[in-house]
Amino acid sequence: VANPVANIAVCGGEPITATFGSPSPNATFNWSNNNTATGISASGTGNISAGTVPSQAVQTGTITVTPVENGCPGTPITFNTTVNPVPVANP
């Protein structure tokens, strides 16, 4: 079982991080992302630590996290990430 993760919203140019936990002490975490324009890779293991992405439009992605213990996958959880554009003043 993976602990729930709140949705994450950042401004363009800010990093995105997510830390996963579980009541199972030996659980590891595999995750996938449906929108790499958020600055997060398409998939990975462990916690998420993504670099910054300047955004000219709102970018939203859904992250699916699957806990794994002793080779057995648990019930996946999902959360959303949103990268909002930084406003620019007209000259």
Side-chain angles (χ1 to χ4, degrees):
V1 176
N3 296 335
V5 176
N7 292 334
I8 298 170
V10 300
C11 295
E14 294 179 348
I16 296 176
T17 59
T19 303
F20 308 122
S22 171
S24 302
N26 297 318
T28 59
F29 304 94
N30 299 326
W31 52 266
S32 62
N33 171 30
N34 73 343
N35 183 5
T36 58
T38 59
I40 300 172
S41 301
S43 63
T45 59
N47 296 322
I48 294 174
S49 181
T52 61
V53 173
S55 181
Q56 306 221 345
V58 174
Q59 295 293 333
T60 302
T62 299
I63 308 292
T64 301
V65 181
T66 304
V68 179
E69 189 168 10
N70 299 319
C72 299
T75 302
I77 63 167
T78 61
F79 66 97
N80 295 317
T81 58
T82 302
V83 178
N84 292 302
V86 175
V88 177
N90 287 331

